[in-house]
Each structure stands twice: as structure tokens, then as C-alpha cells.
Amino acid sequence: MPTTSLLDAIRAIVGDRGLLTDSTDTAPYSEDWRRLYQGRTSAVIRPATAQELAEVIRLCAETGTPVVPQGGNTSMVGGAVPNEDGSELVVSTARLNRIRDLDPTDMTLTIESGVTLKAAQTAAAEAGCLLPLSISSEGSAQIGGVLAVNAGGNNTVRYGNARDLVLGLEVVLPDGTIWNGLRRLRKDNTGYCLRQLFVGSEGTLGVITAAVLKLASQPREVAVALCGVASPEAALSLFTRFQAHDPNAINAFELMSGLGMSFVLRHIPGAVLPLETSAPFYVLVELASPRPNAGLHAMLEQVLEQALNTAIVQDAVIAASDAQRAAIWRLREEHSEAQKREGASVKNDVSVPVSKVPAFIRQATATCEALIPGIRVVPFGHMGDGNIHFNLEQPAGSDAAWFLARDHAIMDAVNEVVQAFDGSFSAEHGIGRLKPYMMPDWRGGAELALMQRIKAAIDPGRIMNPGKVLP
Ligand code: 2HG
Ligand code: ZN
């Protein structure tokens, strides 16, 4: 357990503003937003600089005190919460929130880890650039966490995952050393690519304190449509039509189920379906171009008209204003919140090859319905990159605790289907505390052994985010 003298020494480094010890202050940091894990901690450390953090981590290493790095605490897999016994300290990156540099010629943003993704996007936009990463929780999620979990989100189909945007990193290592790798080079072929080791490591190898991110050109034309479709198969046909027209124009291609949409319409104030009739599934498609007159609206109209004529699409609406565009996106982005308000849910953040998405949904649906009669299947997500949130809502009127106690049975059944399609059991949310038990099955043998050796080499005292990622 962290001793009073350790906490006093930490206070001497970070000051009163940098240390929370009162249980009412630490409570929000001890629980994940899904309320799957209710941990406990004797202190939350909020350093203002990487130097302060490094000194704190050195003390933790010397005393063998485990630390849990935390950004916006939006993890879907309990990756940022401390355990229940109170032995772990939480390190919040919230005060590491400076934008250090933005260079529109180099197209780079050098930014500290506590800046929210939304604030980082705004900074890029103000300089006439685009930070091409967008996730539903971007208002709270912080850059450090986004990189630590290699977030994906809505624009992976075009720009890749968080990993693809990182040119450089600054990391506080488990012994309290600061590694300054904040290079902004497009070419730098100098040995092992260490930054990519930390991206996706979920805080188990160190704490990311700053990053250099690649920017893209700001879109000058954007066109968004919401379409009602009969099935995921129809959604896939629509996707291939957009691909045939211009694959580079597709910014996002998101799938939603009719049931998920009904949760949004029921629970999210102001949510309205902008179509005349409801549909079994919906697609949100966004096209974008850095050219001002790229003809995207005409292209959207043309593809949708053909799709309507051939019954691939049942109904469609093209946003006519920024406000309508935002309203359509809101229907997609509020899916998690609506699902939470509807009741208990078990999430499967999985990916399969894009061409297999419809067959996967069909088979996984049948599997879950056979496993728990009345279970409500709510698949949605990033169809354009093959990442489906195959979420399951408790049967109406059932007991939430009873349902959640079956989470492993549900996840394992879904994962069997994922495996049959050569997919992944975690596409963009990471492993956290929820999924380490799956690692031996999916990444066992040489791969997991190598990960264990890397962990032992970089964090021999095993103080960084224990119990996460590795079984
Ligand atoms: C999204 O795509 C997020 O909105 C959350 O990744 C998905 O709630 C979920 O399962
Ligand atoms: Zn997602």
C-alpha cells in the first residue's frame, strides 16, 4: 500500500494541485464509465509536466508502487481504472494539456497527452489542417489515451488508426527516465521503431506525455447521407458501389441496426430519424475532398439514385446543411450512450475482413439468439474497415446482473464466429482488464511470449498498469 511518506514525497513534487487524496475527489478516477469496474485508490496524481511525472514514477519504481495511467477515462475495457485493493496509484494526464507546436508546412501537431481529441482537432482546424481521427468519445478522450490504445474510430477507412498518425512520442518510462522521441520526420530509418511499441501498449510500458501527430488537408467539400437498407448485405453492396466510384472519397461508412437506432431515438433528447420510414439497418456515408468543387454531392446523389433504383437502398437523405450533417452523425455517435440507458450490455469490439461483415453478423446473431433467448443484438460500427461493435443488450425485463454474469459465455461464443472469419477479438478498444484472459487463445505461443519478454525488459518491476493487456 502507498505509505503516507510516499504520498508526502509525491506532494512535494507535484504540489497540492497535483495530488488528490480525498475519496470524493478520487472516486471518479476509480470507476470506468461503463461501471464494470469499481476500483479504489489512495491518490490520484496530476502532474503538470513530464519532468514532474518522471520524478513521481522514479519514486514509484523505487518503492515498487503500481501506477495506472489515465486520460479521459473513456475506456470500453476497463483499461484505465485501478484495482479494488487500493494498492495502485492513478496518474492522470489531464494537466499535461499544452499544444506545443503546430506547423502547417510540415503538417504536424506537437501536443501533450492530456489535450482532448476534440481540442486537438479544433487546433488543427484553426490552422487550416485536419487531424484525421474521430471517435465517439472525442470530447473527453485525451490524446495520450487515444494513442495508448491505438484508437480507430470513424475515419480509419481513409486515414488508418491512431498508430498511422504518430511521427514521434515523448514517454516517461517505468524507471522514471524520459524518452524524448518527439521527432517530426517523415523518414527516419534508425533501428527499432520504438514509438509503435508504446502505441497500443495501454500504459503497460510507460506513460505517453506528448506526441507529434501527422495532419492532413482540411476537407473543403463534405457530403453526408443516411440510408435505410434491408440488411448488412445491402450495406456491403452500397459500399462496393462507392468504392467503384472513388474509394479515396470515402471518409466514413458506418453501419447501424434498426434496434440500435430505436434506442437512440428513445433515449437521446432531440434525436429524430430524418427518413420517412424506419429500416432494418442504416448506413451513414460521408464523402470528403480537400478540393472545393469536387462534385461530391453529385456523386452521392448518383450512387444513391442507382442504389434506390436497384433496391439496394430503401430510403435515403442527403444532409443539406452543417446542422443536418451534425444531426445525422449524432444518431451514430450516441449509440453507446443510448445502449447504456436501455440497460446492461455486453460489448464485442471485433473486426473481420470487410467482405465478411454481413456473413459474420448473420452467424453471430444466430449464435447469440440460441445462447440466450430474447437477447437483443445491436451490431453497429465502422463497416468500411470491417470493425463491428457486436453488442448485446439484455433481454427486455431480465435481470441486469444475471445478464452481465454471462459476459464471458457471450463473448466467447461471438469470438468463435470471429475466429471462423479470420477476424480479431479486439479491433479498436484494446484489451484492458476485460480481455487479457483471451490473449493466450488468440495471441499465444511465440507472440505472447515475445510480449511478455518486452514487458519484463521495459518494466521489470511490473509497476505500469498491472493486470491490463497481458494475462
Ligand atoms: C463507437 O464506435 C465506439 O461509437 C463505441 O467505439 C462502441 O459502444 C461501443 O461498443
Ligand atoms: Zn467504434
Side-chain angles (χ1 to χ4, degrees):
M1 286 294 159
T3 59
T4 314
S5 68
L6 174 65
L7 295 183
D8 287 344
I10 291 174
R11 192 187 305 277
I13 297 166
V14 296
D16 284 337
R17 269 191 77 197
L19 191 71
L20 309 177
T21 50
D22 194 292
S23 61
T24 40
D25 295 332
T26 60
Y29 297 83
S30 305
E31 178 178 73
D32 65 316
W33 81 277
R34 291 181 67 194
R35 305 181 133 237
L36 290 183
Y37 302 101
Q38 269 93 38
R40 215 154 54 77
T41 187
S42 50
V44 176
I45 305 157
R46 293 162 45 94
T49 63
Q51 192 55 46
E52 280 184 14
L53 176 61
E55 287 175 38
V56 169
I57 297 293
R58 191 168 311 123
L59 285 181
C60 292
E62 279 165 15
T63 53
T65 309
V67 263
V68 178
Q70 190 179 102
N73 200 10
T74 59
S75 174
M76 295 280 178
V77 289
V81 282
N83 68 13
E84 289 73 19
D85 72 11
S87 61
E88 299 174 347
L89 296 175
V90 173
V91 164
S92 163
T93 50
R95 289 175 71 217
L96 299 168
N97 61 0
R98 278 157 294 241
I99 292 177
R100 294 194 192 165
D101 182 65
L102 195 154
D103 193 316
T105 304
D106 292 337
M107 301 276 273
T108 53
L109 174 63
T110 307
I111 196 168
E112 294 185 353
S113 55
V115 179
T116 64
L117 177 53
K118 184 94 201 151
Q121 290 166 347
T122 304
E126 280 167 2
C129 300
L130 172 75
L131 176 60
L133 186 73
S134 167
I135 60 178
S136 300
S137 56
E138 61 201 21
S140 321
Q142 297 172 11
I143 291 296
V146 161
L147 297 179
V149 307
N150 182 29
N154 306 329
N155 303 140
T156 301
V157 60
R158 181 160 184 168
Y159 296 101
N161 298 300
R163 180 184 297 297
D164 300 296
L165 304 177
V166 181
L167 292 176
L169 278 190
E170 178 188 85
V171 181
V172 172
L173 301 174
D175 64 357
T177 309
I178 299 178
W179 170 48
N180 184 343
L182 285 177
R183 292 183 286 268
R184 61 166 89 170
L185 305 171
R186 306 285 166 152
K187 285 188 171 175
D188 177 25
N189 233 349
T190 50
Y192 302 142
C193 185
L194 295 180
R195 67 182 187 278
Q196 295 297 359
L197 201 53
F198 294 96
V199 177
S201 68
E202 301 185 37
T204 61
L205 299 177
V207 187
I208 296 173
T209 49
V212 183
L213 302 177
K214 262 192 258 184
L215 299 177
S217 306
Q218 207 170 40
R220 295 206 175 75
E221 189 179 344
V222 181
V224 168
L226 182 73
C227 315
V229 295
S231 62
E233 283 80 1
L236 182 64
S237 299
L238 186 61
F239 181 64
T240 56
R241 281 171 180 247
F242 280 108
Q243 269 190 318
H245 253 78
D246 183 358
N248 298 324
I250 306 172
N251 230 27
F253 194 93
E254 299 280 313
L255 180 74
M256 292 160 275
S257 70
L259 185 59
M261 186 66 92
S262 75
F263 293 168
V264 173
L265 299 175
R266 184 178 314 154
H267 297 294
I268 304 298
V272 177
L273 185 71
L275 297 170
E276 273 170 28
T277 48
S278 51
F281 285 88
Y282 297 93
V283 165
L284 185 166
V285 58
E286 180 174 279
L287 308 179
S289 170
R291 287 185 288 125
N293 298 307
L296 296 180
H297 274 87
M299 173 174 150
L300 199 51
E301 268 170 16
Q302 193 189 341
V303 174
L304 291 181
E305 200 177 299
Q306 283 170 2
L308 279 160
N309 290 341
T310 47
I312 287 173
V313 164
Q314 297 182 340
D315 194 3
V317 60
I318 297 179
S321 64
D322 286 354
Q324 279 180 13
R325 209 161 72 201
I328 289 176
W329 263 112
R330 192 159 169 254
L331 296 174
R332 164 63 187 84
E333 284 173 342
E334 292 289 359
H335 259 62
S336 301
E337 185 57 36
Q339 223 194 333
K340 187 178 174 197
R341 292 186 194 175
E342 178 70 19
S345 61
V346 172
K347 291 179 188 287
N348 295 277
D349 164 44
V350 302
S351 61
V352 294
V354 179
S355 60
K356 305 287 183 213
V357 166
F360 162 72
I361 291 178
R362 208 160 280 283
Q363 210 165 306
T365 299
T367 299
C368 291
E369 286 175 350
L371 188 69
I372 300 184
I375 198 168
R376 292 176 292 165
V377 180
V378 192
F380 65 93
H382 319 290
M383 183 160 189
D385 63 49
N387 172 197
I388 296 299
H389 302 301
F390 195 82
N391 294 355
L392 291 314
E393 193 78 20
Q394 65 181 105
S398 68
D399 179 59
W402 166 84
F403 182 69
L404 288 177
R406 311 211 57 192
D407 64 341
H408 281 207
I410 296 170
M411 291 191 292
D412 295 349
V414 171
N415 281 341
E416 252 182 60
V417 185
V418 175
Q419 209 148 27
F421 286 103
D422 285 332
S424 171
F425 69 108
S426 182
E428 62 168 3
H429 295 167
I431 306 298
R433 234 176 115 174
L434 186 65
K435 297 187 173 178
Y437 85 93
M438 299 177 189
M439 288 292 272
D441 267 357
W442 287 82
R443 297 288 175 262
E447 202 168 349
L448 187 54
L450 202 50
M451 289 191 210
Q452 302 274 20
R453 279 155 65 191
I454 290 169
K455 170 74 176 172
I458 297 179
D459 181 20
R462 307 190 80 83
I463 63 162
M464 295 304 311
N465 218 4
K468 316 287 168 42
V469 183
L470 300 174

